[in-house]
Amino acid sequence: MQQFLTLEGGYLVMAFIIMLITLFVTTRPFMAKSSLKKGTLSVFLILSFFIASHFYVTTSRMSEVKEAFEADKIVICESRMQRKVAQSVIIQKSNNWVINGDNFASPNYIREFHSARCIIK
């Protein structure tokens, strides 16, 4: 559950705002009486599908990245420290990188890199 909230927290907030907008629009006098029930249900189901799909795709990519790292393959991660020059960091187990839970760490870098922001080269 913690991993779901960490990965999908921003999308859950956006979905909540979209649901509030849906509630506001479907309760207007010019809307049909059944639009509240139909509108909120359909928007909720669509948002739930997209959030669940994103979570599944992200977690499966994370597990693939971890397996590739353990096999000493090259992993490329997004670096948010320097936006102008090096926007990605190359991570490899043989280059003093370790994995702590879902994060890659190295003594050469100040911060850790989350495996959700990584791909296999």
Side-chain angles (χ1 to χ4, degrees):
M1 186 63 173
Q2 177 65 30
Q3 185 182 31
F4 178 77
L5 292 175
T6 301
L7 295 174
E8 305 299 322
Y11 295 117
L12 290 173
V13 170
M14 289 190 301
F16 179 73
I17 292 170
I18 291 170
M19 287 302 297
L20 287 177
I21 292 169
T22 303
L23 274 171
F24 179 76
V25 170
T26 56
T27 56
R28 299 297 92 200
F30 56 84
M31 297 296 289
K33 297 288 181 191
S34 63
S35 63
L36 175 64
K37 192 182 295 183
K38 289 179 184 177
T40 53
L41 180 63
S42 61
V43 170
F44 178 78
L45 290 174
I46 290 169
L47 291 173
S48 298
F49 172 75
F50 284 129
I51 290 173
S53 299
H54 182 264
F55 180 71
Y56 173 75
V57 168
T58 303
T59 52
S60 63
R61 186 182 67 242
M62 286 170 57
S63 64
E64 290 172 6
V65 164
K66 288 179 188 178
E67 289 172 12
F69 176 77
E70 293 298 333
D72 202 30
K73 294 182 181 176
I74 295 175
V75 175
I76 301 172
C77 290
E78 176 187 20
S79 175
R80 294 185 174 188
M81 289 175 55
Q82 298 174 351
R83 285 290 195 184
K84 294 182 181 177
V85 181
Q87 293 184 353
S88 61
V89 175
I90 295 180
I91 294 175
Q92 196 169 14
K93 191 173 189 174
S94 60
N95 291 337
N96 295 329
W97 285 92
V98 294
I99 190 162
N100 298 328
D102 291 330
N103 297 321
F104 294 108
S106 172
N108 301 326
Y109 284 89
I110 298 169
R111 62 184 292 270
E112 295 182 341
F113 297 93
H114 199 280
S115 60
R117 300 278 180 204
C118 301
I119 58 171
I120 303 167
K121 183 175 181 181

